[in-house]
Amino acid sequence: MEPVINHGSARPNAMLLNVGFGNVVAADRIIAIISPNSAPVKRLKDEAKDDKRLIDVTQGRKTRSVLITDSNHVILSAVQTETISQRLLTLKDAEGSGIPLK
């Protein structure tokens, strides 16, 4: 999977991270990727839903990871936490190495 750069937004160099099912998130906005199984994370999810800060990109599948952004949005993904973490590391490595991205 190749990293993606969004060339048409107000953030022209924003690197986008695939979080499953064709959904992407600005990689530099993510502050945490966590497992959804603990009670505190479930409360965090419920609070975000009440405050209209919850973004569900699971397409009806089981939530396998929860992403927290710097804008305090909570993103639910059906992709494993380890997989998203690896994608983020690959994206950051590609950014730092000067590899041209598509």
Side-chain angles (χ1 to χ4, degrees):
M1 176 176 302
E2 293 185 33
V4 178
I5 290 185
N6 179 6
H7 293 288
S9 72
R11 301 167 51 123
N13 293 327
M15 299 193 72
L16 301 177
L17 176 67
N18 182 338
V19 292
F21 305 108
N23 299 294
V24 293
V25 176
D28 60 340
R29 304 290 303 263
I30 297 171
I31 58 170
I33 304 168
I34 54 180
S35 176
N37 300 326
S38 69
V41 174
K42 290 177 183 176
R43 280 193 300 273
L44 180 71
K45 183 177 75 168
D46 291 340
E47 289 172 10
K49 184 175 182 180
D50 292 342
D51 295 343
K52 304 206 182 325
R53 295 180 290 109
L54 183 70
I55 302 169
D56 186 348
V57 297
T58 62
Q59 302 283 324
R61 291 171 175 79
K62 180 180 177 184
T63 299
R64 297 181 191 272
S65 61
V66 177
L67 292 82
I68 311 297
T69 66
D70 59 358
S71 62
N72 211 21
H73 284 83
V74 176
I75 302 169
L76 308 180
S77 174
V79 178
Q80 291 285 349
T81 303
E82 295 82 11
T83 303
I84 293 178
S85 298
Q86 187 60 46
R87 289 177 185 175
L88 185 59
L89 285 174
T90 302
L91 196 61
K92 295 208 182 256
D93 285 346
E95 177 184 34
S97 67
I99 296 172
L101 301 173
K102 295 181 180 177

